[in-house]
Amino acid sequence: MATIAIAKKHSLSHKKAKEAAQKVAEDLNERFGLAYTWHGDCIDFTRPGLTGQLHVLRDEVRLDCKLGFLLGAIKPAI
């Protein structure tokens, strides 16, 4: 199973960072059908062939994804 891990520093307040993460989750849901749920400061998301988490930290957001077989084949393009 292929994985993707991305971390990005931010200078937002924790509340603003969570609001931005919520907007990203809504956009991903609308565009790609990713279902998501919040668990504290983390968004778990899933769709066929992909699972992942978006962690909202004090000064960083981190995205960790696991790609299924078919999506793993296009990992370089993602």
Side-chain angles (χ1 to χ4, degrees), residues 1-68:
M1 190 174 274
T3 61
I4 295 176
I6 301 168
K8 177 79 173 162
K9 296 281 185 188
H10 69 80
S11 59
L12 300 172
S13 70
H14 192 70
K15 180 181 176 185
K16 291 286 186 189
K18 285 183 77 170
E19 289 171 1
Q22 176 65 33
K23 289 179 184 178
V24 169
E26 290 170 359
D27 182 56
L28 291 172
N29 174 264
E30 191 173 307
R31 292 173 55 198
F32 303 109
L34 277 122
Y36 67 91
T37 55
W38 277 96
H39 296 281
D41 292 334
C42 180
I43 300 174
D44 292 329
F45 56 89
T46 187
R47 65 157 284 170
L50 182 140
T51 60
Q53 294 182 317
L54 179 64
H55 305 271
V56 181
L57 306 171
R58 183 179 54 82
D59 61 352
E60 177 181 81
V61 290
R62 190 178 72 236
L63 176 66
D64 297 308
C65 297
K66 292 182 183 175
L67 306 175

